[in-house]
């Protein structure tokens, strides 16, 4: 009997080719699943975990991450500037300035879960607030994260502090006496070269949920 019959050599080569193909296919599937998980997660594997507490400091877009490629630095700065413009309008009791940051058909879910739909309603809502409970109050936002979904869509996360208010809307409880902390999440779109808010969610931080901010 031959030690290496021709049929055995052919079968051995076929098994070797199939094994290599199987390994290659497994690696390809693993790579694809990793890429899909990063896409769904909206950030890359090296993205640092977001801070859980409010941090003192100037507004910064240094946490900018996302799935979109080739995002211009000017867009990252322009998205972060929406938070700065919000503070500027709030601190001058300017409801028109607040409304200008939104699309005409935009929507806000406020800290009490109420819906405010449309830029005109957002302006009227803030005009009433600036004339009553938030008269003379001050807002300071700190950009926590920016995620670019595409070159014309982004999610802006801001940690916001409001101080100097006389009271809060019915049912709202301050995070600390004289201090209302909120998480702001905005979905922004770029229209005619300008970044505007399409959707905004405000979540009030409950008392004791985070340490007090640094002075």
């Amino acid at each position: 009997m031959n030690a290496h019959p021709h049929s055995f050599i052919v079968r051995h080569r076929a098994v070797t080719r199939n094994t290599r193909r199987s390994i290659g296919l497994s690696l390809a599937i693993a790579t694809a699943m990793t890429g899909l998980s990063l896409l769904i997660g909206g950030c890359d594997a090296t993205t640092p975990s977001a801070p859980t507490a409010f941090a003192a400091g100037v507004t910064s877009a240094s946490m900018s991450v996302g799935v979109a490629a080739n995002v211009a630095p000017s867009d990252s700065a322009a998205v972060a500037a929406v938070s700065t413009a919000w503070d500027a309008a709030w601190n001058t009791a300017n409801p028109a300035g607040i409304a200008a940051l939104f699309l005409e058909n935009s929507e806000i879910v406020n800290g009490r879960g109420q819906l405010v739909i449309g830029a005109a309603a957002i302006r009227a809502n803030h005009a009433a607030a600036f004339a009553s409970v938030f008269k003379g109050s001050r807002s300071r936002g700190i950009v926590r994260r920016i995620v670019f979904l595409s070159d014309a869509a982004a999610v802006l996360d801001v940690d916001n502090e409001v101080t100097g208010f006389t009271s809060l809307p019915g049912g709202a409880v301050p995070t600390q006496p004289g201090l209302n902390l909120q998480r702001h999440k905005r979905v922004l779109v770029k229209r005619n070269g300008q970044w505007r808010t399409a959707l905004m969610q405000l979540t009030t931080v409950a008392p004791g949920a985070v340490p007090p901010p640094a002075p």
Side-chain angles (χ1 to χ4, degrees):
M1 183 176 181
N2 294 331
H4 298 288
H6 177 71
S7 60
F8 173 80
I9 295 173
V10 171
R11 288 197 301 272
H12 175 72
R13 288 174 179 170
V15 169
T16 301
R17 286 196 300 270
N18 289 339
T19 301
R20 288 173 179 170
R21 288 173 181 169
S22 178
I23 293 173
L25 180 59
S26 297
L27 290 174
I29 292 173
T31 301
M33 292 301 294
T34 300
L36 180 60
S37 66
L38 294 178
L39 178 62
I40 294 173
C43 60
D44 58 39
T46 60
T47 300
S49 58
T52 57
F54 282 72
V58 297
T59 298
S60 168
S62 61
M63 292 288 290
S64 179
V65 297
V67 300
N70 301 320
V71 173
S74 58
D75 280 323
S76 183
V79 168
V82 171
S83 175
T84 304
W86 171 278
D87 289 344
W90 186 287
N91 295 336
T92 55
N94 180 5
I98 293 286
L101 302 174
F102 292 83
L103 298 176
E104 287 301 318
N105 60 345
S106 56
E107 174 183 289
I108 287 181
V109 181
N110 69 19
R112 295 189 293 162
Q114 297 172 312
L115 288 175
V116 184
I117 301 174
I122 291 169
R123 175 175 178 168
N125 179 274
H126 283 82
F130 292 148
S132 55
V133 292
F134 288 119
K135 184 176 183 179
S137 64
R138 304 286 297 178
S139 171
R140 184 180 73 139
I142 299 171
V143 173
R144 181 169 54 85
R145 183 178 63 176
I146 298 172
V147 177
F148 283 93
L149 306 178
S150 72
D151 58 0
V155 177
L156 172 63
D157 287 309
V158 176
D159 292 342
N160 183 259
E161 306 170 358
V162 176
T163 57
F165 48 86
T166 57
S167 63
L168 291 177
V173 178
T175 311
Q176 297 175 27
L179 176 64
N180 195 41
L181 303 181
Q182 290 186 332
R183 308 287 191 184
H184 291 183
K185 186 177 289 289
R186 297 173 173 88
V187 177
L188 305 179
V189 295
K190 191 176 184 180
R191 297 282 177 83
N192 300 320
Q194 300 293 318
W195 287 93
R196 293 289 181 267
T197 304
L199 303 169
M200 183 174 180
Q201 173 90 41
L202 297 83
T203 302
T204 299
V205 178
V210 296

